[in-house]
Amino acid sequence: MRAVAIPDPTPGARAALRADLTARVTDLLSSNRVVAAGGRYTRPARRTYPHQWLWDSCFHAIVYHQLGDRALAHDELRALFRAQVSSGPDRGRLPHMTFFGGGPGEADQDPEGARAYAREVSLWGDPRASTITQPPIVAEAVLRVGDAALWRELWRPLAAYYDWWLRRRDPRGEHLYVSFHMWEIGADATPRGDAACQRLLATGRSPRQPDDASHNPTARKRADMLTARYLMHDDLRGIDGDELAERIDEAEAQRRRLRLLGHVGVDMQAYLVRNLSDLATIGEAIGEAAAAARYRAEAAAIAAAVNRDLWDEEAGFYFDRWDEPSQVIRVRTPAPFVALYAGDLVPPGRAARLLDALADPDRFWTRWPIPTVARDEPSYDPDDYWRGSTWLNVNWFTLRGLIELHRRAEVPRALELARELARRTCELVDLAGFREYYRAGGRAAADDATTAPAGFGPDGFGWSGIVLDVFRMLDEELA
Ligand code: GLC
């Protein structure tokens, strides 16, 4: 780790900053909140993101909880189940987006957002929601912000969602779970999907409905990869339609989906390990012991599969896979750092090697860590959407993992790294605001000294409010 001197503010100064950010986050979430058909929720950002997004709402609920507002935290999560799939092969799936704009009174609250409705309905062919999912972190949010009453209320739909994952997303039966679209990964433009995207672009086709980039003018996105995501969407909808109309059987549909992307992310496995364990904890608390035991066993099976199939001993890193038959994606991103938060998924010796990469200025220890692609990768671009820029949720998962390592006294450096990462994260938000993402650092480590904090994407981005939980960590676990 490079010794950039970030002053550790005095306790008084830190308390003042924390109070200021708390007030700003309260305003931010309240101005992003809407009342929609069947519930109220918080938009990721006004104008840019009018709908309800699955994992964004989980972060929002945790921030509301941090602000002490139980009712808003619970409603944010309840609203996620409004458009859960109720029948057919995908029963139980939660959509990555539940649309705003079609229900009574919605257009009055946000006329611009409501105009986006028609476009989404035509893109997805569904009046309520998208037909893919997103990282499954809803169980951990329900556990953290809920109480026995909420756990009982949400148990059935929650269990149905994870049962859907177990039934539909392990098509090879190897306890490694698959994403079928880049938007499902959460890190939409990650170079982990480049090979799949290039294969689609090589067909020379044009998407049925190309992106309208004007809704997010300050985000830098690679146009070719954006086109590829829309092509992938067209193809996935085609496969879904063929399966629903029984033109092909489930096995053939899954084989085609694997060929389209078939992404096995280390981070996705970690979300499942953590969330199946948390779902089990909820089940045990409300007398659902048999289901709880089944979820715990599956979490353990995923952890074993990750360590058996995704670890590269020479590189000292976990790598994702894609395609059918599956191929390794040898690109270093923070996905394995996220994996640290999933209990004992990562054994201590492997965790120590991951921290070597995290603390390396030529890889992940940039001026404003953690870049979403390592600095020594050819695809690294510190300002580009998920291709090197810094995103607060990645930092938050990693911090939780580092704290977990420290608690188990397994890797001595974990505490020092966590403190430094937490301080820089708080400083970044203080200086650059609540943006969608941030510049990670220079192209070379030597440029870091002059890298000013900068944010991209909409100002007033909800999940960046998670910085309040980073402050809590600094004052509690990292004190
Ligand atoms: C972008 C992000 C995704 C997020 C969504 C709404 O698509 O990549 O992770 O959920 O915006 O904020």
Side-chain angles (χ1 to χ4, degrees), residues 130-451:
S130 65
T131 55
I132 57 171
T133 195
Q134 249 192 338
I137 62 166
V138 60
E140 64 177 272
V142 171
L143 176 63
R144 176 140 174 203
V145 314
D147 49 22
L150 188 79
W151 298 339
R152 274 195 203 94
E153 177 192 330
L154 293 183
W155 171 258
R156 275 175 174 277
L158 198 55
Y161 178 48
Y162 290 93
D163 288 345
W164 169 80
W165 269 95
L166 270 46
R167 198 177 67 244
R168 287 281 277 182
R169 291 308 181 93
D170 177 22
R172 301 184 183 101
E174 54 187 20
H175 307 285
L176 291 173
Y177 287 77
V178 181
S179 301
F180 289 143
H181 193 283
M182 296 300 293
W183 292 322
E184 291 198 323
I185 301 173
D188 303 2
T190 177
R192 293 181 279 165
D194 281 5
C197 289
Q198 294 296 0
R199 185 153 80 184
L200 284 163
L201 291 172
T203 63
R205 290 154 44 210
S206 302
R208 211 166 40 85
Q209 189 173 317
D211 182 58
D212 169 17
S214 62
H215 74 290
N216 197 351
T218 67
R220 220 169 82 185
K221 300 185 184 183
R222 260 186 57 176
D224 55 343
M225 294 302 166
L226 197 54
T227 300
R229 295 201 280 284
Y230 280 82
L231 288 171
M232 193 176 281
H233 167 271
D234 290 348
D235 288 359
L236 184 58
R237 279 208 52 211
I239 300 167
D240 291 351
D242 283 346
E243 188 189 11
L244 276 174
E246 297 182 2
R247 284 188 287 272
I248 54 176
D249 65 11
E250 181 177 13
E252 175 60 14
Q254 295 290 62
R255 200 190 62 79
R256 290 189 194 177
R257 293 186 184 105
L258 285 170
R259 282 285 289 160
L260 184 59
L261 175 64
H263 181 253
V264 175
V266 174
D267 41 359
M268 199 60 73
Q269 313 312 307
Y271 298 133
L272 279 166
V273 169
R274 166 87 273 153
N275 280 270
L276 288 169
S277 308
D278 287 353
L279 182 62
T281 303
I282 295 173
E284 284 152 6
I286 61 167
E288 296 283 352
R294 189 163 57 81
Y295 296 132
R296 259 194 218 294
E298 188 54 27
I302 299 170
V306 166
N307 281 298
R308 186 190 62 223
D309 292 345
L310 305 184
W311 176 254
D312 183 317
E313 181 59 28
E314 203 186 319
F317 218 73
Y318 293 98
F319 289 118
D320 295 0
R321 289 172 178 255
W322 74 293
D323 208 2
E324 170 70 9
S326 88
Q327 309 184 40
V328 180
I329 306 170
R330 295 190 63 87
V331 55
R332 281 183 177 78
T333 74
F337 308 144
V338 168
L340 296 171
Y341 103 115
D344 53 8
L345 166 62
V346 181
R350 292 183 176 182
R353 296 196 63 193
L354 293 178
L355 295 205
D356 289 343
L358 176 59
D360 182 348
D362 292 324
R363 293 223 154 115
F364 291 99
W365 205 256
T366 57
R367 176 64 182 85
W368 305 104
I370 304 167
T372 38
V373 176
R375 177 139 59 189
D376 61 353
E377 292 286 348
S379 54
Y380 174 73
D381 182 333
D383 294 355
D384 206 290
Y385 211 71
W386 291 112
R387 301 179 72 84
S389 50
T390 291
W391 292 66
L392 286 207
N393 59 340
V394 172
N395 286 19
W396 181 70
F397 285 118
T398 303
L399 275 166
R400 291 167 64 197
L402 292 171
I403 289 170
E404 188 62 26
L405 283 178
H406 166 64
R407 198 177 277 143
R408 296 200 309 252
E410 282 175 348
V411 185
R413 256 183 323 162
L415 180 65
E416 181 204 351
L417 273 169
R419 279 195 183 127
E420 186 65 17
L421 178 59
R423 280 187 212 128
R424 290 193 195 199
T425 303
C426 293
E427 194 190 4
L428 179 60
V429 178
D430 180 39
L431 297 173
F434 299 97
R435 301 300 294 264
E436 186 178 18
Y437 69 93
Y438 303 87
R439 173 172 299 152
R443 284 198 173 269
D447 303 334
D448 275 354
T450 52
T451 301

Side-chain angles (χ1 to χ4, degrees), residues 47 65 80 87 102 180 385 411:
R47 286 186 284 281
H65 179 72
L80 283 174
S87 60
F180 289 143
Y385 211 71
V411 185

